Amino acid sequence: MPANLPPQYYEAERRYREAKEPQDKLKILHEMFAIMPKHKGTDKLQADLKFRISKLKKEIQQKKKASRRDQYFVEKEGAACVVLIGAPNVGKSQILSSLTNATPEVAPYPYTTLKPLCGMMPFENVQIQLVDTPPISSDFMEPWLAGIIRQADLVLLVVDLLSESMLEETETVFKRLEQSKIQLEIEEREVNPLDGIAHKKTMILGNKNESEDSEENLTVLKDLYGQRFPIFSISAKGKKNLEELKKKIFDSLGILRVYTKVPGKKADFEDPVILKIGSTLLDAARAIHKDFAYNLKYARLWGNGVYDGQMVQKDFVLKDGHVVEFHI
Ligand SMILES: Nc1nc2c(ncn2[C@@H]2O[C@H](COP(=O)(O)OP(=O)(O)OP(=O)(O)O)[C@@H](O)[C@H]2O)c(=O)[nH]1
Ligand SMILES: [Mg+2]
């Protein structure tokens, strides 16, 4: 049986020959594999491509270990940092693209994203940083990815509700992260200095929720992980449930916003001071300036649960929306 390869295949093969970086070569091999029709006539070619992919992956991993070059970090910005992680092709980049102004590469084949890419997601009057990352699979995880996950305030574990191997892919992500001493959990916990394990607050995000098949997979996902994690489903491409998702993300970050004012003037509601839930007046002063906190005597407060201009002390626990007039 002849292979009957489409012209795009030959085009990709040409780019493969011209590519210099092993990472680029790997990406093009995946693309060629996706383009190639899968039938008896291409069996040999399929096996050959798989072999070349696995060989190249090994080479890249070994080179990384040896040189430790390609390190990536993320400069934290905005009210909080949320990292998108998951198996190949689940739609992480599409989610970044649908929720922010960032323009990541989105493609129908796996291993598209090679390095982290940030975008800012507006929600009400705050900006939340989203970080798109390369995929995690049984034989591949960027060594620097662990560092980015560790420093995030929330992990969004993206799952492809249309994938036939959804559960396998998801378990693989858990396992790979455990090898890097990261445990995905419902709540964030301090790193235990004895074992170095980071317990990261995680939400499972079922993507591609557009059909009956995806509904079925969502039920399976909820049965299996519903006790351990909040689970939410969207269609990043179909723009379904995205506004609700933004609210869910904000709510699970455990942050509150207070607004400062000076005596006789109105508060600035555009520019909130972002604090953790449970923060006190003193914490708010510290967030503004160390010296300011040192000199703080009391504050007057407006908003939820206080009467207008109520005088409060340093240990007063603030709520979302409070307007604070500091007195030093
Ligand atoms: N049907 C459907 N397809 C989607 C949706 N979101 C993404 N896709 C498609 O899924 C494929 C992969 O999307 P990407 O965003 O590149 O996936 P990724 O997780 O970033 O992939 P890697 O970077 O390779 O890990 C593309 O063909 C997208 O168009 C969705 O909500 N519904
Ligand atoms: Mg991607």
Side-chain angles (χ1 to χ4, degrees):
M1 213 175 174
N4 278 339
L5 296 167
Q8 299 97 302
Y9 181 89
Y10 294 105
E11 212 287 313
E13 193 172 66
R14 181 190 58 75
R15 282 188 284 123
Y16 172 78
R17 279 196 307 270
E18 284 169 10
K20 294 206 172 55
E21 294 297 321
Q23 282 283 18
D24 294 333
K25 278 188 179 289
L26 181 63
K27 210 171 128 177
I28 302 169
L29 281 180
H30 279 293
E31 201 180 323
M32 284 158 66
F33 191 79
I35 295 170
M36 180 174 52
K38 314 289 185 298
H39 55 65
K40 270 238 154 304
T42 61
D43 271 359
K44 210 166 153 287
L45 192 55
Q46 285 184 50
D48 175 58
L49 272 184
K50 278 189 186 156
F51 176 73
R52 280 199 277 169
I53 286 173
S54 112
K55 195 164 156 242
L56 200 52
K57 272 188 197 165
K58 273 191 202 124
E59 275 174 30
I60 292 172
Q61 287 284 32
Q62 261 155 14
K63 223 173 119 195
K64 282 224 171 93
K65 267 191 200 140
S67 72
R68 291 254 161 211
R69 272 187 304 134
D70 289 347
Q71 290 280 355
Y72 291 104
F73 300 96
V74 166
E75 190 91 26
K76 277 178 122 179
E77 258 188 282
C81 171
V82 178
V83 64
L84 293 155
I85 63 165
N89 219 37
V90 294
K92 300 176 292 300
S93 301
Q94 178 66 56
I95 294 171
L96 181 77
S97 163
S98 296
L99 295 176
T100 73
N101 282 334
T103 51
E105 192 181 347
V106 173
Y109 43 84
Y111 301 98
T112 309
T113 305
L114 305 177
K115 54 184 187 182
L117 182 68
C118 301
M120 299 308 285
M121 176 182 86
F123 175 77
E124 294 179 354
N125 53 0
V126 295
Q127 297 281 336
I128 295 165
Q129 182 182 40
L130 293 192
V131 188
D132 179 24
T133 62
I136 300 172
S137 63
S138 55
D139 49 4
F140 200 74
M141 173 175 154
E142 294 287 358
W144 46 262
L145 183 53
I148 291 178
I149 298 173
R150 276 172 178 262
Q151 68 153 20
D153 300 300
L154 174 70
V155 175
L156 289 185
L157 171 56
V158 185
V159 172
D160 181 348
L161 294 174
L162 294 179
S163 165
E164 280 168 16
S165 40
M166 176 188 82
L167 293 181
E168 220 178 291
E169 290 170 4
T170 310
E171 274 307 307
T172 301
V173 174
F174 284 115
K175 282 204 198 103
R176 280 306 297 224
L177 291 178
E178 270 168 30
Q179 288 166 8
S180 302
K181 296 198 169 193
I182 293 174
Q183 194 114 29
L184 302 182
E185 283 172 22
I186 197 158
E187 279 304 331
E188 182 89 18
R189 279 195 275 148
E190 293 266 310
V191 178
N192 179 345
L194 290 178
D195 57 20
I197 294 175
H199 304 266
K200 299 304 295 180
K201 181 168 189 168
T202 302
M203 178 159 116
I204 296 182
L205 192 56
N207 186 33
K208 314 193 187 181
N209 180 17
E210 299 130 31
S211 64
E212 272 177 30
D213 287 350
S214 53
E215 280 299 326
E216 254 173 56
N217 258 345
L218 181 63
T219 309
V220 172
L221 205 61
K222 283 185 175 163
D223 284 348
L224 218 69
Y225 298 110
Q227 301 282 336
R228 285 167 56 199
F229 299 98
I231 299 177
F232 194 68
S233 80
I234 60 162
S235 163
K237 211 166 150 187
K239 308 254 189 293
K240 192 169 135 195
N241 277 353
L242 295 187
E243 287 311 309
E244 294 84 343
L245 172 65
K246 287 185 196 173
K247 173 137 181 46
K248 273 248 168 338
I249 291 175
F250 179 80
D251 288 346
S252 57
L253 286 170
I255 55 185
L256 63 88
R257 297 160 288 185
V258 297
Y259 307 92
T260 57
K261 77 184 274 303
V262 290
K265 294 239 168 84
K266 287 217 165 100
D268 176 8
F269 287 106
E270 298 282 288
D271 189 19
V273 178
I274 307 287
L275 300 165
K276 279 209 178 100
I277 284 180
S279 293
T280 60
L281 179 66
L282 186 62
D283 294 325
R286 277 199 196 109
I288 294 167
H289 197 278
K290 194 165 86 255
D291 294 345
F292 192 59
Y294 185 74
N295 292 322
L296 178 69
K297 296 217 169 55
Y298 68 96
R300 292 198 182 279
L301 224 66
W302 284 258
N304 191 358
V306 293
Y307 58 82
D308 284 355
Q310 183 173 329
M311 199 172 138
V312 296
Q313 303 302 321
K314 289 179 194 174
D315 60 353
F316 183 85
V317 177
L318 295 163
K319 292 214 178 89
D320 190 43
H322 274 161
V323 171
V324 188
E325 185 183 275
F326 291 103
H327 289 262
I328 52 171

